[in-house]
Amino acid sequence: MAHNRNRIAGVALALASLLASTAGADRRETALAGGWRFHLGDPGPATAEPRFDDEGWQRVAVPHTWNRLGNYGVTRRKDANTVRGIGWYRLRFAAPQMAAGERLYLQFDAASIVADVWLNGVRLGRHEGAFSRFRFDATEALKAGGDNVLAVRVDNSKPDAGSATRYVVPISGDFFMYGGLYRPASMIVVGPQHIDLADMGSAGIYERTIALDAARASVSARTLLRNDAARPAPVTLRTTIADASGRQVARDERRVSLPASGGAEATASLTIANPRRWNGRADPYLYRTTVEVIGADGRLLDRASEPLGLREMAFDAARGFLLNGKPLPLHGVTRHQDRQDKGWALADADHAQDMAIIEEMGANAVRLSHYNHAKPFYDLADRDGMVLWAELGLVNLAALPGERDARPEMVASAKQQLSELIRQNYNHPSVAVWSIGNEITNWTSKGLTPSNARPLMTTLDRLAHAEDPTRATTIAVCCEPLPGQPDTGVDRTSGTADTVAYNLYLGWYGSGHAEEAATLGTVLSGLHRERPKLPIAVGEYGAGGATSQHTDNPFGGRIESIYRPQPEEVQSAVHALSWRGIAPLGFLWGSFIWQMFDATSDLREEGDSSDINTKGLVTFDRATRKDAFYFYKAAWNPAPMIHLTGKRYVDRAYPVIDVTAYSNAAAADLSLDGRRIGSAACVDRICRWPGVRLHRGSNRLSVSATVNGKAIGDAATVAYAGPARALHVRTGSLTGVTLADGTRYGSDTFFDGGTGSTLNPFQRELYAAGGGTAKARKIVTGTDRADLYASWRAGAAFSYALPLPDGRYRVRLHLFEPDKAGAHRFAAGIAGGTQRDGIDVASLAGGVLKATTVDLTGPARNGVLRLDFRGQGGEAIVSAIDVEPLRD
Ligand code: GCB
């Protein structure tokens, strides 16, 4: 009975609301996109006045940023704009049609970093913080029926003393803070009684799933209401839920008395029978909640709707992330909100493209690093079932540099932006966790500043729970001792949130050798043993990759983690090893690749780029998927795929190469110029054909496989232009070099054992002082071929198996002593050829950092010339190897 009565009332009211909405009584939102004038600089306070002459200013559309940086190339792009300061925007617009009593709100989806807003010379207010939506009630300043002038002063100054951004978090970070009205702006007209638009940029609606089982879902929806009229107003608040087909499945109606010029709130309680859950990528089922405010006369006064996803999310220290009660390992990526040429001023299509690329790879989670992202991206995640980690922009520092405790202004900024983050994104079912900060002790761990981070992080964690009792919190931690490492005294922020995420760059920033990535699984297991009750994730892991830089062996030498070069193959290797460690760990609640896309950082000059952090799996312009992208595509995406790696390394240094493909097939076949080379098992998604011999000229490589009856394949052309019967190896180096005489040295490979080292590893201090790798600090003398004496392989015992046609060869070892006299003394020999004992490098060369050579002769047998090094009262060492055929 009750049910029937409700239905009849519902039909009547639906009709009433239809009539009301056709009468245009509910809210009207108009984009303020075109027609803006922009000026970089600050002409002064008169700029806010309507009469101010902006004729000469640049015409722009919003979203807009004045900054432009980030390019591939070793020098900064010529059209770069890295100015951090004040910019002004002005817009003339006609007043919207408004009935008596209606209100006008101006909405900015974000302005970076501090924005002051005037309408017709009347100051509406200031907003601090680059990433949140904010609104101002502009009704009193509006000239009804006339021309209006909106002026916005935006300031993205560096947070130096005296600047408006001084305490506005984040005050540090490995990303560029673009300036401007970089997200859409709009005006919203609402009636005098409306859903509150002044609640920190939120929708004014807060949904909550109270109970959920197969038979029913109980949902509450709390709505904040506002009456701007001078008289109290009785209204009806109608809350309905529609399923994905638009059919109404639940409704609540209640009367609310709104006080004169005041607010009230009401909570609807709704029940959905036989609910369908929002179940991540597998089934991201969405309902929609619509809230309507209806006047005493039955007219619709305001209406807004929000997504609703019914799901249970939990974080368990032993079982990881649970979606609807079942473990769902989060295969995540991190994303910054920028791209080439546009910076932060993204269009909806840009967000959609990013999401499509992330989905193509098979990820099921995204960390929105390191701040609140734009609404369209959250909407896409809701729609597509992507689990989100949403994050407060608080990075590297818990206080001003040099200070121990956060100043009240900085605490206030962090709290304000955390509340905005949570309130603005409360209803997105995709959001699983609120992050209260990233690497807060980073500067302290480098000895750059004192720190007392825990009080701030504890305050923020409490606030997050007060704002949202339904979701867990996390914190991304960089700088705490790993298992077995001594305590450095840096205060620990792990444990200040419900869960923790460790940012771990093993194989990149650590030892400088990619192999170190293989220890990631062990390190994580150790952390889990130390904190068995704390749900743990990998918040970041990764490596830089330049698509124009290549190596013959990613394990051949030290990487330059903050400079050049950064061969693409090292990135792939670090990821493959890292993932092998992460994949089996059932206790992890997630792992997040740093990062999905190359992104702007004016702190960086690395790989083949300027102002770009090269750790993206996809380039800054989204045009190129790096090889590592395909490794994850093979590991994560269920559709059959195979990808041949190294396609961009066309011009090969050696005639014998290892061919690698990534695939989710069990095995794959390789052919060269149509001739079958053989089959290889694809172990951990990697199919490998070692020692494939190329001929001079172009070589067409093709791989093929079958998955579930589907044939898949990929192909590439590589070339070899060198001699067949000679090899030149630059040992200990990830890069090759071509000498002035045209001799090409490949990077270090064909070795077994030993460690690669670099004479002048890049050091930022050296670089800042005008040194860098170009002006090496240490120079080897006694040679005009210094490039051969810039790195070395050393160890107690190591060997080379050099692939050469059978015959006799002369082998020249290039040597120098990098350390101290007597440190390197060894025996070297060719299997079946010359053996030399007692090679004491320093005494042979006449001192340290002096070049010398040792020649050996011997055969290649069964296609291999074997060269053995063995320490004798010191370590063995070699810095380059020449192999030339002996003329008989
Ligand atoms: C980190 C930071 C991130 C950096 C990244 C890197 O740990 O959280 O902001 O960009 O490392 O590339 O070094």
Side-chain angles (χ1 to χ4, degrees):
M1 266 306 271
H3 176 238
N4 262 344
R5 243 201 333 267
N6 275 345
R7 272 196 54 191
I8 292 161
V11 171
L13 273 163
L15 209 62
S17 77
L18 193 72
L19 290 172
S21 66
T22 47
D26 62 333
R27 71 171 67 178
R28 279 111 55 205
E29 186 166 344
T30 314
L32 298 174
W36 290 83
R37 298 279 186 158
F38 170 72
H39 172 77
L40 181 56
D42 185 10
T47 322
E49 296 302 326
R51 282 187 315 275
F52 182 85
D53 181 8
D54 59 19
E55 249 331 283
W57 285 17
Q58 191 188 341
R59 290 168 196 271
V60 301
V62 164
H64 171 265
T65 176
W66 61 80
N67 294 120
R68 193 187 296 114
L69 67 161
N71 58 286
Y72 295 105
V74 295
T75 52
R76 180 173 271 174
R77 56 193 295 169
K78 293 217 163 47
D79 61 354
N81 179 339
T82 59
V83 173
R84 292 190 59 177
I86 292 168
W88 277 88
Y89 293 85
R90 285 171 51 95
L91 175 72
R92 255 164 243 280
F93 67 96
Q97 294 279 338
M98 284 168 66
E102 284 191 320
R103 312 293 301 178
L104 175 77
Y105 282 84
L106 294 174
Q107 171 171 290
F108 298 87
D109 286 358
S112 175
I113 298 173
V114 172
D116 291 278
V117 181
W118 292 261
L119 182 61
N120 301 322
V122 178
R123 189 161 185 279
L124 301 182
R126 163 175 284 203
H127 181 267
E128 297 180 347
F131 307 103
S132 338
R133 186 182 311 117
F134 58 94
R135 305 187 186 104
F136 292 117
D137 183 340
T139 316
E140 307 307 329
L142 186 75
K143 269 207 252 148
D147 244 16
N148 287 267
V149 180
L150 174 61
V152 187
R153 178 185 188 268
V154 183
D155 186 348
N156 77 332
S157 299
K158 291 189 179 147
D160 298 329
S163 102
T165 59
R166 174 86 164 140
Y167 303 108
V168 182
V169 300
I171 56 174
S172 169
D174 180 20
F175 50 94
F176 185 79
M177 295 287 289
Y178 286 85
L181 293 179
Y182 74 89
R183 286 188 194 154
S186 57
M187 55 183 177
I188 304 170
V189 176
V190 282
Q193 292 83 34
H194 56 89
I195 300 163
D196 197 356
L197 289 169
D199 174 46
M200 300 191 108
S202 80
I205 301 166
Y206 295 90
E207 303 163 336
R208 198 159 154 185
T209 304
I210 308 291
L212 179 59
D213 61 28
R216 66 186 55 237
S218 306
V219 174
S220 72
R222 183 167 70 94
T223 299
L224 310 184
L225 293 162
R226 170 88 207 158
N227 177 20
D228 283 316
R231 243 180 278 149
V235 297
T236 300
L237 179 71
R238 180 165 63 213
T239 308
T240 55
I241 297 175
D243 67 12
S245 71
R247 195 174 58 95
Q248 185 179 302
V249 293
R251 121 194 222 112
D252 173 286
E253 230 172 79
R254 55 190 65 226
R255 304 199 46 88
V256 186
S257 303
L258 298 180
S261 306
E265 63 171 72
T267 300
S269 146
L270 304 117
T271 303
I272 303 170
N274 305 317
R276 183 157 157 192
R277 290 174 186 240
W278 186 92
N279 201 27
R281 302 278 294 124
D283 185 17
Y285 191 83
L286 279 183
Y287 294 88
R288 198 142 191 101
T289 303
T290 300
V291 173
E292 291 166 315
V293 185
I294 298 151
D297 58 357
R299 282 170 58 89
L300 178 66
L301 303 176
D302 194 14
R303 171 167 49 194
S305 75
E306 288 287 281
L308 172 69
L310 304 172
R311 85 289 185 274
E312 290 165 312
M313 289 174 165
F315 294 81
D316 185 277
R319 299 171 71 206
F321 177 70
L322 304 166
L323 181 60
N324 296 317
K326 296 202 190 86
L328 177 71
L330 296 181
H331 298 164
V333 299
T334 60
R335 176 208 187 226
H336 266 304
Q337 61 168 4
D338 63 353
R339 64 165 58 202
Q340 187 167 297
D341 302 328
K342 292 186 169 185
W344 283 359
L346 302 181
D348 286 1
D350 299 323
H351 293 293
Q353 187 190 30
D354 282 6
M355 185 59 92
I357 296 173
I358 292 168
E359 289 173 5
E360 179 197 329
M361 196 170 79
N364 62 6
V366 183
R367 174 180 177 192
L368 302 178
S369 49
H370 285 307
Y371 38 72
N372 189 9
H373 284 223
K375 183 171 186 295
F377 201 78
Y378 289 90
D379 289 340
L380 290 163
D382 293 343
R383 186 196 71 184
D384 294 353
M386 197 63 78
V387 174
L388 294 183
W389 154 340
E391 182 153 319
L392 167 67
L394 180 65
V395 186
N396 287 350
L397 286 161
L400 294 189
E403 299 186 2
R404 183 173 172 276
D405 296 300
R407 296 216 193 162
E409 298 93 326
M410 189 171 158
V411 176
S413 174
K415 287 173 74 175
Q416 170 215 321
Q417 293 190 57
L418 180 59
S419 291
E420 288 173 335
L421 172 78
I422 296 175
R423 293 190 193 188
Q424 294 177 12
N425 300 299
Y426 198 92
N427 298 324
H428 290 292
S430 52
V431 174
V433 63
W434 304 118
S435 169
I436 56 173
N438 178 66
E439 303 198 351
I440 303 306
T441 55
N442 185 313
W443 280 41
T444 307
S445 71
K446 294 179 178 146
L448 298 171
T449 192
S451 148
N452 180 27
R454 283 187 75 90
L456 175 60
M457 302 327 289
T458 304
T459 302
L460 294 175
D461 189 64
R462 282 208 196 105
L463 176 63
H465 287 293
E467 290 282 356
D468 182 359
T470 71
R471 286 184 176 91
T473 55
T474 196
I475 182 164
V477 165
C478 60
C479 308
E480 298 182 3
L482 299 178
Q485 289 179 350
D487 202 327
T488 52
V490 174
D491 53 331
R492 292 179 184 238
T493 54
S494 60
T496 54
D498 300 339
T499 73
V500 68
Y502 290 99
N503 296 349
L504 292 168
Y505 286 92
L506 303 169
W508 190 250
Y509 293 127
S511 67
H513 287 93
E515 292 99 324
E516 195 193 40
T519 63
L520 182 56
T522 313
V523 168
L524 288 164
S525 298
L527 287 166
H528 179 49
R529 265 195 305 279
E530 279 180 5
R531 318 290 294 262
K533 298 222 167 79
L534 190 61
I536 289 178
V538 185
E540 295 176 20
Y541 67 105
T547 57
S548 66
Q549 296 171 346
H550 300 286
T551 188
D552 303 285
N553 185 334
F555 306 114
R558 270 188 60 89
I559 190 66
E560 292 295 357
S561 61
I562 51 166
Y563 195 57
R564 327 183 189 284
Q566 297 182 341
E568 186 178 0
E569 292 75 15
V570 178
Q571 180 186 42
S572 309
V574 168
H575 277 291
L577 291 176
S578 302
W579 181 244
R580 197 187 295 164
I582 291 169
L585 304 181
F587 64 84
L588 286 180
W589 63 261
S591 56
F592 294 84
I593 295 166
W594 189 267
Q595 55 190 344
M596 188 64 212
F597 306 103
D598 282 354
T600 330
S601 169
D602 62 338
L603 306 176
R604 292 184 180 263
E605 280 183 68
E606 59 184 24
D608 56 4
S609 66
S610 300
D611 301 311
I612 287 179
N613 182 324
T614 54
K615 295 186 194 72
L617 302 183
V618 175
T619 50
F620 199 31
D621 54 5
R622 279 46 172 176
T624 306
R625 289 153 173 77
K626 304 181 191 177
D627 278 345
F629 172 96
Y630 292 99
F631 171 73
Y632 287 103
K633 188 169 178 180
W636 291 352
N637 123 88
M641 65 76 69
I642 189 161
H643 170 80
L644 192 55
T645 69
K647 285 181 195 163
R648 281 174 282 274
Y649 183 12
V650 175
D651 190 13
R652 299 294 177 126
Y654 296 116
V656 174
I657 64 170
D658 295 346
V659 176
T660 299
Y662 298 139
S663 178
N664 45 17
D669 249 36
L670 171 69
S671 304
L672 199 166
D673 292 335
R675 193 171 41 84
R676 183 162 185 264
I677 302 283
S679 170
C682 302
V683 180
D684 292 335
R685 307 294 195 236
I686 303 172
C687 341
R688 212 166 148 265
W689 295 264
V692 174
R693 182 165 279 281
L694 305 176
H695 53 79
R696 272 178 75 103
S698 246
N699 294 257
R700 182 81 179 154
L701 297 165
S702 44
V703 285
S704 59
T706 307
V707 182
N708 300 333
K710 186 171 185 257
I712 48 178
D714 196 12
T717 301
V718 296
Y720 178 67
R725 291 172 57 84
L727 280 180
H728 301 282
V729 187
R730 193 187 195 199
T731 63
S733 174
L734 286 170
T735 51
V737 66
T738 302
L739 298 185
D741 67 3
T743 315
R744 176 156 183 203
Y745 285 77
S747 58
D748 198 0
T749 188
F750 309 125
F751 59 84
D752 181 11
T755 305
S757 300
T758 308
L759 184 59
N760 291 295
F762 175 75
Q763 291 171 19
R764 189 166 293 284
E765 317 81 72
L766 203 66
Y767 182 75
T773 45
K775 268 198 225 159
R777 195 162 34 130
K778 293 180 184 165
I779 294 170
V780 174
T781 57
T783 176
D784 55 1
R785 308 165 91 194
D787 283 335
L788 300 187
Y789 300 89
S791 61
W792 65 88
R793 174 160 299 277
F798 58 91
S799 61
Y800 280 80
L802 300 167
L804 287 155
D806 287 1
R808 287 186 63 75
Y809 293 87
R810 187 208 70 189
V811 174
R812 171 160 294 170
L813 308 178
H814 296 266
L815 308 170
F816 72 96
E817 175 55 68
D819 192 358
K820 56 178 191 298
H824 292 93
R825 285 190 298 186
F826 64 100
I830 298 174
T834 327
Q835 307 295 318
R836 276 279 304 263
D837 273 342
I839 305 171
D840 182 324
V841 184
S843 65
L844 209 59
V848 173
L849 293 178
K850 291 202 165 119
T852 186
T853 57
V854 166
D855 285 357
L856 308 167
T857 55
R861 291 180 183 148
N862 302 320
V864 175
L865 185 148
R866 188 181 158 96
L867 196 53
D868 284 297
F869 294 82
R870 190 165 35 82
Q872 284 178 333
E875 280 201 331
I877 190 167
V878 60
S879 64
I881 302 171
D882 293 324
V883 188
E884 299 278 358
L886 269 183
R887 282 175 230 295
D888 297 321

